[in-house]
Amino acid sequence: MLKLTKNRLAVFGMVVVASIGATLWLGSVTKSATSPQLVPIAGVSADTLAQAGITLQQPLGAVPAGAKDTAASAAQQFAGGAAIRDEQFAHCVAPGASIDEDCWAVSLDPSGFHANGPATIRQATYLVVLVDPTSGNALIGADGTP
Amino acid sequence: MVCVAAALAFAGVAAASCNPGRSASSGSWHVGWSVAPPSGTCIDGSEANILVYSPYVYSGAANDTSGWTMLVNGLTASYGQVGYQKRDSGTMYNFTESSTSGGGFQQKLFTVSGVGTSPQYKITFSSNAFHYFVNGSNIWTDSNTNYGGCKAEQEGEIGNSASQMLGGSQNNVVYSSAEVRRADTEAWYNANGSFVNEESSWFDYSPISSSSFSIWDKACLS
């Protein structure tokens, strides 16, 4: 009777361990399935961009041929000639402006961009311009500091 | 034809800019009005039609001239604002800007409304988010804020003493249909604020009505 109980306990223990393992594995699979893969861009972290309401995810479509330079020029013109730090083709999501499309994200030198608010003047540490790959027009510029 | 000519002339006046001839110094100077909350409640909305004017902007660091409407906490300086700005590069934008919970700011830049037009710039605060509108369109929403303020401001601002404030003495920049919203009833009413002029030797203002005023740079005619 005692031996049987020990066996039952051993089986129960194995079941518990297996369940925990399966739960952890399923959790990791679920997380990787629901969290979009982000596209890094020089000059600003994904966390800072997310705080500003923008995420750059893996593009849904192919990179448009020959459009990179055009997008860079459009972003630079929009930003008043600021120097370019990086340019990535990504799926750009900015719910605040109803942007949810593949676009060019261009990171630029934020020197001179600053807050207009009531506190002491604060310089921007990032400047990103999103460019529509079809029209070649800037969708929005975002600058700031966390 | 006459209308087209008149429109062009109007746009030309609004586009006029002049160097006020002041020495350069970075800072922040305002003219316009500030609106205190009514008794027992906060202001959670601020709107005005602002003439889009293209001023002279001194070429230097941290430098632009802007006109906006704003919600602000006078103690913590947390805020949200929407309006237009001209940078020293000559580029003009419609913009939104919110303070962040980390003490920073987040600004969004959009294609400016036409110089010489008077778009409505509106900000509201609800559900812990700033909602920004230009001519009735919701152009941006910022939910990452630490806002808990009560008052409104509707002003022009220069970021360098050598830059021109919006407007000239013969070509004022008018803020019209200026209203604020009570947080308790969500009713809009004429802003009728208290005037602010942080450098009266440089700027001037003129009250027009309880929902309208104009501002200008005293060194400039147009």
PDB file of all heavy atoms in Angstrom, chain B residues 64-94:
ATOM      1  N   ASP B  64      12.601  78.548 -33.104  1.00  0.00           N
ATOM      2  CA  ASP B  64      11.446  78.619 -33.972  1.00  0.00           C
ATOM      3  C   ASP B  64      10.491  79.669 -33.430  1.00  0.00           C
ATOM      4  O   ASP B  64      10.662  80.194 -32.327  1.00  0.00           O
ATOM      5  CB  ASP B  64      10.742  77.267 -34.134  1.00  0.00           C
ATOM      6  CG  ASP B  64      10.129  76.734 -32.849  1.00  0.00           C
ATOM      7  OD1 ASP B  64       9.813  77.533 -31.949  1.00  0.00           O
ATOM      8  OD2 ASP B  64       9.968  75.514 -32.729  1.00  0.00           O
ATOM      9  N   THR B  65       9.502  80.000 -34.232  1.00  0.00           N
ATOM     10  CA  THR B  65       8.411  80.857 -33.791  1.00  0.00           C
ATOM     11  C   THR B  65       7.120  80.070 -33.992  1.00  0.00           C
ATOM     12  O   THR B  65       6.965  79.396 -35.008  1.00  0.00           O
ATOM     13  CB  THR B  65       8.388  82.166 -34.597  1.00  0.00           C
ATOM     14  OG1 THR B  65       9.585  82.910 -34.325  1.00  0.00           O
ATOM     15  CG2 THR B  65       7.183  83.030 -34.223  1.00  0.00           C
ATOM     16  N   SER B  66       6.223  80.163 -33.019  1.00  0.00           N
ATOM     17  CA  SER B  66       5.034  79.308 -33.088  1.00  0.00           C
ATOM     18  C   SER B  66       3.802  80.029 -32.559  1.00  0.00           C
ATOM     19  O   SER B  66       3.893  81.015 -31.819  1.00  0.00           O
ATOM     20  CB  SER B  66       5.264  78.009 -32.290  1.00  0.00           C
ATOM     21  OG  SER B  66       5.577  78.298 -30.939  1.00  0.00           O
ATOM     22  N   GLY B  67       2.653  79.512 -32.952  1.00  0.00           N
ATOM     23  CA  GLY B  67       1.363  79.942 -32.423  1.00  0.00           C
ATOM     24  C   GLY B  67       0.563  78.706 -32.089  1.00  0.00           C
ATOM     25  O   GLY B  67       0.557  77.749 -32.869  1.00  0.00           O
ATOM     26  N   TRP B  68      -0.095  78.686 -30.948  1.00  0.00           N
ATOM     27  CA  TRP B  68      -0.718  77.429 -30.505  1.00  0.00           C
ATOM     28  C   TRP B  68      -1.814  77.690 -29.486  1.00  0.00           C
ATOM     29  O   TRP B  68      -1.981  78.788 -28.964  1.00  0.00           O
ATOM     30  CB  TRP B  68       0.327  76.491 -29.894  1.00  0.00           C
ATOM     31  CG  TRP B  68       1.396  77.164 -29.084  1.00  0.00           C
ATOM     32  CD1 TRP B  68       2.681  77.424 -29.486  1.00  0.00           C
ATOM     33  CD2 TRP B  68       1.286  77.704 -27.753  1.00  0.00           C
ATOM     34  NE1 TRP B  68       3.373  78.075 -28.485  1.00  0.00           N
ATOM     35  CE2 TRP B  68       2.542  78.262 -27.411  1.00  0.00           C
ATOM     36  CE3 TRP B  68       0.269  77.775 -26.811  1.00  0.00           C
ATOM     37  CZ2 TRP B  68       2.793  78.873 -26.181  1.00  0.00           C
ATOM     38  CZ3 TRP B  68       0.508  78.387 -25.590  1.00  0.00           C
ATOM     39  CH2 TRP B  68       1.772  78.923 -25.299  1.00  0.00           C
ATOM     40  N   THR B  69      -2.540  76.612 -29.215  1.00  0.00           N
ATOM     41  CA  THR B  69      -3.486  76.581 -28.121  1.00  0.00           C
ATOM     42  C   THR B  69      -3.128  75.383 -27.256  1.00  0.00           C
ATOM     43  O   THR B  69      -2.641  74.373 -27.761  1.00  0.00           O
ATOM     44  CB  THR B  69      -4.939  76.535 -28.638  1.00  0.00           C
ATOM     45  OG1 THR B  69      -5.838  76.545 -27.544  1.00  0.00           O
ATOM     46  CG2 THR B  69      -5.201  75.326 -29.501  1.00  0.00           C
ATOM     47  N   MET B  70      -3.360  75.484 -25.950  1.00  0.00           N
ATOM     48  CA  MET B  70      -2.681  74.577 -25.024  1.00  0.00           C
ATOM     49  C   MET B  70      -3.505  74.301 -23.781  1.00  0.00           C
ATOM     50  O   MET B  70      -4.282  75.141 -23.324  1.00  0.00           O
ATOM     51  CB  MET B  70      -1.378  75.282 -24.626  1.00  0.00           C
ATOM     52  CG  MET B  70      -0.484  74.607 -23.649  1.00  0.00           C
ATOM     53  SD  MET B  70       0.889  75.745 -23.319  1.00  0.00           S
ATOM     54  CE  MET B  70       2.098  74.634 -22.714  1.00  0.00           C
ATOM     55  N   LEU B  71      -3.299  73.106 -23.217  1.00  0.00           N
ATOM     56  CA  LEU B  71      -3.757  72.793 -21.862  1.00  0.00           C
ATOM     57  C   LEU B  71      -2.511  72.599 -21.013  1.00  0.00           C
ATOM     58  O   LEU B  71      -1.565  71.930 -21.442  1.00  0.00           O
ATOM     59  CB  LEU B  71      -4.608  71.517 -21.855  1.00  0.00           C
ATOM     60  CG  LEU B  71      -5.936  71.581 -22.603  1.00  0.00           C
ATOM     61  CD1 LEU B  71      -6.589  70.187 -22.657  1.00  0.00           C
ATOM     62  CD2 LEU B  71      -6.887  72.572 -21.942  1.00  0.00           C
ATOM     63  N   VAL B  72      -2.512  73.145 -19.812  1.00  0.00           N
ATOM     64  CA  VAL B  72      -1.271  73.118 -19.034  1.00  0.00           C
ATOM     65  C   VAL B  72      -1.561  73.043 -17.543  1.00  0.00           C
ATOM     66  O   VAL B  72      -2.549  73.606 -17.054  1.00  0.00           O
ATOM     67  CB  VAL B  72      -0.400  74.357 -19.377  1.00  0.00           C
ATOM     68  CG1 VAL B  72      -1.122  75.651 -19.036  1.00  0.00           C
ATOM     69  CG2 VAL B  72       0.955  74.300 -18.697  1.00  0.00           C
ATOM     70  N   ASN B  73      -0.695  72.328 -16.850  1.00  0.00           N
ATOM     71  CA  ASN B  73      -0.689  72.323 -15.396  1.00  0.00           C
ATOM     72  C   ASN B  73       0.367  73.325 -14.954  1.00  0.00           C
ATOM     73  O   ASN B  73       1.556  73.113 -15.198  1.00  0.00           O
ATOM     74  CB  ASN B  73      -0.356  70.919 -14.882  1.00  0.00           C
ATOM     75  CG  ASN B  73      -0.363  70.836 -13.368  1.00  0.00           C
ATOM     76  OD1 ASN B  73       0.079  71.742 -12.679  1.00  0.00           O
ATOM     77  ND2 ASN B  73      -0.871  69.731 -12.843  1.00  0.00           N
ATOM     78  N   GLY B  74      -0.053  74.404 -14.333  1.00  0.00           N
ATOM     79  CA  GLY B  74       0.872  75.465 -13.960  1.00  0.00           C
ATOM     80  C   GLY B  74       1.899  75.049 -12.926  1.00  0.00           C
ATOM     81  O   GLY B  74       2.949  75.687 -12.803  1.00  0.00           O
ATOM     82  N   LEU B  75       1.648  73.993 -12.186  1.00  0.00           N
ATOM     83  CA  LEU B  75       2.580  73.576 -11.137  1.00  0.00           C
ATOM     84  C   LEU B  75       3.618  72.586 -11.650  1.00  0.00           C
ATOM     85  O   LEU B  75       4.815  72.734 -11.395  1.00  0.00           O
ATOM     86  CB  LEU B  75       1.805  72.952  -9.967  1.00  0.00           C
ATOM     87  CG  LEU B  75       0.839  73.901  -9.237  1.00  0.00           C
ATOM     88  CD1 LEU B  75       0.074  73.143  -8.152  1.00  0.00           C
ATOM     89  CD2 LEU B  75       1.606  75.066  -8.627  1.00  0.00           C
ATOM     90  N   THR B  76       3.172  71.587 -12.387  1.00  0.00           N
ATOM     91  CA  THR B  76       4.111  70.552 -12.843  1.00  0.00           C
ATOM     92  C   THR B  76       4.635  70.831 -14.243  1.00  0.00           C
ATOM     93  O   THR B  76       5.575  70.181 -14.693  1.00  0.00           O
ATOM     94  CB  THR B  76       3.432  69.177 -12.878  1.00  0.00           C
ATOM     95  OG1 THR B  76       2.413  69.189 -13.886  1.00  0.00           O
ATOM     96  CG2 THR B  76       2.793  68.846 -11.536  1.00  0.00           C
ATOM     97  N   ALA B  77       4.045  71.800 -14.919  1.00  0.00           N
ATOM     98  CA  ALA B  77       4.418  72.133 -16.293  1.00  0.00           C
ATOM     99  C   ALA B  77       4.128  70.985 -17.258  1.00  0.00           C
ATOM    100  O   ALA B  77       4.664  70.946 -18.350  1.00  0.00           O
ATOM    101  CB  ALA B  77       5.871  72.576 -16.410  1.00  0.00           C
ATOM    102  N   SER B  78       3.298  70.027 -16.860  1.00  0.00           N
ATOM    103  CA  SER B  78       2.849  69.032 -17.836  1.00  0.00           C
ATOM    104  C   SER B  78       1.834  69.723 -18.756  1.00  0.00           C
ATOM    105  O   SER B  78       1.104  70.623 -18.318  1.00  0.00           O
ATOM    106  CB  SER B  78       2.227  67.826 -17.137  1.00  0.00           C
ATOM    107  OG  SER B  78       1.102  68.199 -16.375  1.00  0.00           O
ATOM    108  N   TYR B  79       1.793  69.306 -20.015  1.00  0.00           N
ATOM    109  CA  TYR B  79       1.015  70.072 -20.971  1.00  0.00           C
ATOM    110  C   TYR B  79       0.771  69.277 -22.249  1.00  0.00           C
ATOM    111  O   TYR B  79       1.420  68.257 -22.515  1.00  0.00           O
ATOM    112  CB  TYR B  79       1.766  71.362 -21.349  1.00  0.00           C
ATOM    113  CG  TYR B  79       3.069  71.079 -22.064  1.00  0.00           C
ATOM    114  CD1 TYR B  79       3.137  71.077 -23.454  1.00  0.00           C
ATOM    115  CD2 TYR B  79       4.216  70.765 -21.343  1.00  0.00           C
ATOM    116  CE1 TYR B  79       4.323  70.789 -24.113  1.00  0.00           C
ATOM    117  CE2 TYR B  79       5.400  70.466 -21.999  1.00  0.00           C
ATOM    118  CZ  TYR B  79       5.452  70.477 -23.381  1.00  0.00           C
ATOM    119  OH  TYR B  79       6.630  70.166 -24.023  1.00  0.00           O
ATOM    120  N   GLY B  80      -0.139  69.815 -23.048  1.00  0.00           N
ATOM    121  CA  GLY B  80      -0.320  69.397 -24.430  1.00  0.00           C
ATOM    122  C   GLY B  80      -0.635  70.642 -25.245  1.00  0.00           C
ATOM    123  O   GLY B  80      -1.305  71.562 -24.741  1.00  0.00           O
ATOM    124  N   GLN B  81      -0.144  70.719 -26.466  1.00  0.00           N
ATOM    125  CA  GLN B  81      -0.413  71.899 -27.284  1.00  0.00           C
ATOM    126  C   GLN B  81      -0.482  71.510 -28.761  1.00  0.00           C
ATOM    127  O   GLN B  81       0.118  70.527 -29.211  1.00  0.00           O
ATOM    128  CB  GLN B  81       0.640  72.983 -27.058  1.00  0.00           C
ATOM    129  CG  GLN B  81       2.040  72.607 -27.441  1.00  0.00           C
ATOM    130  CD  GLN B  81       3.071  73.683 -27.084  1.00  0.00           C
ATOM    131  OE1 GLN B  81       4.267  73.435 -27.148  1.00  0.00           O
ATOM    132  NE2 GLN B  81       2.633  74.867 -26.698  1.00  0.00           N
ATOM    133  N   VAL B  82      -1.210  72.324 -29.517  1.00  0.00           N
ATOM    134  CA  VAL B  82      -1.334  72.122 -30.953  1.00  0.00           C
ATOM    135  C   VAL B  82      -1.372  73.489 -31.636  1.00  0.00           C
ATOM    136  O   VAL B  82      -1.983  74.432 -31.126  1.00  0.00           O
ATOM    137  CB  VAL B  82      -2.601  71.294 -31.291  1.00  0.00           C
ATOM    138  CG1 VAL B  82      -3.878  71.964 -30.783  1.00  0.00           C
ATOM    139  CG2 VAL B  82      -2.716  71.026 -32.784  1.00  0.00           C
ATOM    140  N   GLY B  83      -0.667  73.574 -32.761  1.00  0.00           N
ATOM    141  CA  GLY B  83      -0.628  74.838 -33.478  1.00  0.00           C
ATOM    142  C   GLY B  83       0.278  74.719 -34.686  1.00  0.00           C
ATOM    143  O   GLY B  83       0.347  73.654 -35.304  1.00  0.00           O
ATOM    144  N   TYR B  84       0.943  75.820 -35.031  1.00  0.00           N
ATOM    145  CA  TYR B  84       1.910  75.753 -36.123  1.00  0.00           C
ATOM    146  C   TYR B  84       3.199  76.425 -35.695  1.00  0.00           C
ATOM    147  O   TYR B  84       3.235  77.201 -34.735  1.00  0.00           O
ATOM    148  CB  TYR B  84       1.350  76.390 -37.402  1.00  0.00           C
ATOM    149  CG  TYR B  84       1.222  77.902 -37.386  1.00  0.00           C
ATOM    150  CD1 TYR B  84       2.267  78.721 -37.810  1.00  0.00           C
ATOM    151  CD2 TYR B  84       0.047  78.514 -36.955  1.00  0.00           C
ATOM    152  CE1 TYR B  84       2.150  80.100 -37.820  1.00  0.00           C
ATOM    153  CE2 TYR B  84      -0.078  79.895 -36.954  1.00  0.00           C
ATOM    154  CZ  TYR B  84       0.981  80.690 -37.389  1.00  0.00           C
ATOM    155  OH  TYR B  84       0.859  82.056 -37.384  1.00  0.00           O
ATOM    156  N   GLN B  85       4.258  76.088 -36.398  1.00  0.00           N
ATOM    157  CA  GLN B  85       5.562  76.663 -36.089  1.00  0.00           C
ATOM    158  C   GLN B  85       6.346  76.866 -37.382  1.00  0.00           C
ATOM    159  O   GLN B  85       6.131  76.169 -38.371  1.00  0.00           O
ATOM    160  CB  GLN B  85       6.366  75.758 -35.156  1.00  0.00           C
ATOM    161  CG  GLN B  85       6.675  74.389 -35.729  1.00  0.00           C
ATOM    162  CD  GLN B  85       7.536  73.533 -34.803  1.00  0.00           C
ATOM    163  OE1 GLN B  85       8.755  73.456 -34.983  1.00  0.00           O
ATOM    164  NE2 GLN B  85       6.913  72.890 -33.824  1.00  0.00           N
ATOM    165  N   LYS B  86       7.263  77.840 -37.347  1.00  0.00           N
ATOM    166  CA  LYS B  86       8.234  78.005 -38.422  1.00  0.00           C
ATOM    167  C   LYS B  86       9.614  77.886 -37.813  1.00  0.00           C
ATOM    168  O   LYS B  86       9.934  78.564 -36.834  1.00  0.00           O
ATOM    169  CB  LYS B  86       8.083  79.366 -39.116  1.00  0.00           C
ATOM    170  CG  LYS B  86       9.062  79.533 -40.297  1.00  0.00           C
ATOM    171  CD  LYS B  86       8.900  80.869 -41.002  1.00  0.00           C
ATOM    172  CE  LYS B  86       9.883  81.001 -42.159  1.00  0.00           C
ATOM    173  NZ  LYS B  86       9.772  82.328 -42.829  1.00  0.00           N
ATOM    174  N   ARG B  87      10.440  77.027 -38.403  1.00  0.00           N
ATOM    175  CA  ARG B  87      11.785  76.802 -37.891  1.00  0.00           C
ATOM    176  C   ARG B  87      12.802  77.675 -38.631  1.00  0.00           C
ATOM    177  O   ARG B  87      12.495  78.250 -39.683  1.00  0.00           O
ATOM    178  CB  ARG B  87      12.146  75.327 -38.022  1.00  0.00           C
ATOM    179  CG  ARG B  87      11.206  74.415 -37.200  1.00  0.00           C
ATOM    180  CD  ARG B  87      11.688  72.991 -37.219  1.00  0.00           C
ATOM    181  NE  ARG B  87      13.111  72.912 -36.951  1.00  0.00           N
ATOM    182  CZ  ARG B  87      13.670  73.085 -35.761  1.00  0.00           C
ATOM    183  NH1 ARG B  87      12.914  73.294 -34.708  1.00  0.00           N
ATOM    184  NH2 ARG B  87      14.968  73.048 -35.606  1.00  0.00           N
ATOM    185  N   ASP B  88      14.009  77.734 -38.087  1.00  0.00           N
ATOM    186  CA  ASP B  88      15.012  78.589 -38.718  1.00  0.00           C
ATOM    187  C   ASP B  88      15.442  78.056 -40.085  1.00  0.00           C
ATOM    188  O   ASP B  88      16.038  78.787 -40.872  1.00  0.00           O
ATOM    189  CB  ASP B  88      16.213  78.806 -37.804  1.00  0.00           C
ATOM    190  CG  ASP B  88      16.862  77.512 -37.365  1.00  0.00           C
ATOM    191  OD1 ASP B  88      16.360  76.440 -37.747  1.00  0.00           O
ATOM    192  OD2 ASP B  88      17.864  77.571 -36.643  1.00  0.00           O
ATOM    193  N   SER B  89      15.127  76.817 -40.379  1.00  0.00           N
ATOM    194  CA  SER B  89      15.398  76.275 -41.711  1.00  0.00           C
ATOM    195  C   SER B  89      14.423  76.846 -42.744  1.00  0.00           C
ATOM    196  O   SER B  89      14.604  76.662 -43.945  1.00  0.00           O
ATOM    197  CB  SER B  89      15.266  74.748 -41.687  1.00  0.00           C
ATOM    198  OG  SER B  89      13.932  74.375 -41.369  1.00  0.00           O
ATOM    199  N   GLY B  90      13.380  77.524 -42.261  1.00  0.00           N
ATOM    200  CA  GLY B  90      12.346  78.050 -43.151  1.00  0.00           C
ATOM    201  C   GLY B  90      11.163  77.104 -43.277  1.00  0.00           C
ATOM    202  O   GLY B  90      10.144  77.449 -43.872  1.00  0.00           O
ATOM    203  N   THR B  91      11.302  75.904 -42.735  1.00  0.00           N
ATOM    204  CA  THR B  91      10.238  74.905 -42.823  1.00  0.00           C
ATOM    205  C   THR B  91       9.138  75.228 -41.824  1.00  0.00           C
ATOM    206  O   THR B  91       9.415  75.594 -40.683  1.00  0.00           O
ATOM    207  CB  THR B  91      10.798  73.504 -42.516  1.00  0.00           C
ATOM    208  OG1 THR B  91      11.972  73.293 -43.297  1.00  0.00           O
ATOM    209  CG2 THR B  91       9.777  72.429 -42.862  1.00  0.00           C
ATOM    210  N   MET B  92       7.889  75.082 -42.277  1.00  0.00           N
ATOM    211  CA  MET B  92       6.749  75.304 -41.392  1.00  0.00           C
ATOM    212  C   MET B  92       5.980  74.005 -41.208  1.00  0.00           C
ATOM    213  O   MET B  92       5.912  73.181 -42.122  1.00  0.00           O
ATOM    214  CB  MET B  92       5.822  76.384 -41.970  1.00  0.00           C
ATOM    215  CG  MET B  92       6.470  77.766 -42.036  1.00  0.00           C
ATOM    216  SD  MET B  92       5.333  79.052 -42.627  1.00  0.00           S
ATOM    217  CE  MET B  92       4.246  79.212 -41.202  1.00  0.00           C
ATOM    218  N   TYR B  93       5.418  73.839 -40.025  1.00  0.00           N
ATOM    219  CA  TYR B  93       4.654  72.634 -39.696  1.00  0.00           C
ATOM    220  C   TYR B  93       3.405  72.998 -38.911  1.00  0.00           C
ATOM    221  O   TYR B  93       3.423  73.951 -38.131  1.00  0.00           O
ATOM    222  CB  TYR B  93       5.456  71.691 -38.778  1.00  0.00           C
ATOM    223  CG  TYR B  93       6.807  71.272 -39.271  1.00  0.00           C
ATOM    224  CD1 TYR B  93       7.963  71.880 -38.779  1.00  0.00           C
ATOM    225  CD2 TYR B  93       6.950  70.248 -40.198  1.00  0.00           C
ATOM    226  CE1 TYR B  93       9.219  71.484 -39.203  1.00  0.00           C
ATOM    227  CE2 TYR B  93       8.194  69.839 -40.629  1.00  0.00           C
ATOM    228  CZ  TYR B  93       9.337  70.467 -40.130  1.00  0.00           C
ATOM    229  OH  TYR B  93      10.570  70.072 -40.553  1.00  0.00           O
ATOM    230  N   ASN B  94       2.362  72.190 -39.048  1.00  0.00           N
ATOM    231  CA  ASN B  94       1.406  72.037 -37.959  1.00  0.00           C
ATOM    232  C   ASN B  94       2.075  71.088 -36.969  1.00  0.00           C
ATOM    233  O   ASN B  94       2.795  70.166 -37.380  1.00  0.00           O
ATOM    234  CB  ASN B  94       0.092  71.432 -38.445  1.00  0.00           C
ATOM    235  CG  ASN B  94      -0.757  72.437 -39.204  1.00  0.00           C
ATOM    236  OD1 ASN B  94      -0.618  73.651 -39.032  1.00  0.00           O
ATOM    237  ND2 ASN B  94      -1.638  71.942 -40.054  1.00  0.00           N
TER     238      ASN B  94
END
